[in-house]
Amino acid sequence: MSEVAGSGPLQQWEDIRKRARRLEADIDGKLVAFNRVSVNQTGDAVTSSLASELESLLTQLSETHQEMGRCVKDLGAGEGARQSHVLQRHRELLHEYEKEFRKIKANIKEQRERDDLLHSVRKDIGEHKSAATARQDPLLRERGAAQGSIKAADGVLANAQSTFQALRGQRNLYSSIGSKISAFRARLPTIDSLVGRIQRRKKFESIVLAIVLA
């Protein structure tokens, strides 16, 4: 009867310990997935879902440890002492799980805060650029108008220069023609004198011829 009575708490211990191991395996897998989510920056919905599942599993494991502690008290001095060391290792593992869970959560929170800050900075920069562009638009329009006026003035000056060159060319042409006309006029008296001498000689020859014939 005593063996049967003693096997009851021990069997209960083994059953509870198996449940603890299953929970530990689940937590281990969820922590790996949770850490991957934090690195890859997956969506908030996935992150929140994994965090809730891990919190539930950690709570279940803690409650299981409490059951294991009550069971150890029923095992007796020798077996109870041995299983107390086993329970201590389970509790240390739970402590590591909780520590890793808090670390990953802190990393995710820090990353979100960085992303929010970066988004805010980019937004401020965008608004500043928009405001600067709005202020510069009138200046750019004025600058464009001034450049247009300068180009128009350059065009007028270029046309004036072309006209000036053409007029100077015409003046040089007229001066050349005037010089030629003046030279021609200067030669007219000489020609008139030559024609007069020819006419007088012809007249003289006519008179001589008339005398000879007479």
Side-chain angles (χ1 to χ4, degrees), residues 19-122:
R19 191 200 317 157
R21 286 174 175 172
R22 286 195 299 271
L23 288 169
E24 287 167 356
D26 290 342
I27 291 171
D28 193 65
K30 295 292 183 183
L31 281 174
V32 171
F34 196 44
N35 186 60
R36 189 181 303 116
V37 164
S38 69
V39 172
N40 297 334
Q41 300 183 21
T42 312
D44 292 342
V46 177
T47 303
S48 299
S49 176
L50 281 172
S52 298
E53 292 178 17
L54 277 166
E55 288 176 351
S56 176
L57 289 171
L58 290 170
T59 300
Q60 292 178 48
L61 185 57
S62 178
E63 293 172 350
T64 301
H65 289 173
Q66 293 176 10
E67 291 184 43
M68 292 171 72
R70 289 191 294 268
C71 212
V72 165
K73 294 178 182 179
D74 297 335
L75 290 175
E79 188 66 28
R82 286 193 295 272
Q83 301 305 337
S84 290
H85 291 296
V86 175
L87 176 58
Q88 182 60 30
R89 289 197 295 272
H90 281 286
R91 285 174 173 167
E92 290 172 356
L93 186 58
L94 172 61
H95 177 71
E96 291 298 323
Y97 285 152
E98 290 173 338
K99 182 180 178 181
E100 183 67 16
F101 178 59
R102 289 193 297 269
K103 178 182 176 181
I104 296 173
K105 282 182 67 177
N107 290 340
I108 292 174
K109 181 181 179 182
E110 182 180 352
Q111 183 61 44
R112 284 177 176 172
E113 290 175 350
R114 265 200 311 267
D115 291 343
D116 291 342
L117 178 60
L118 182 60
H119 176 73
S120 177
V121 170
R122 286 176 176 171

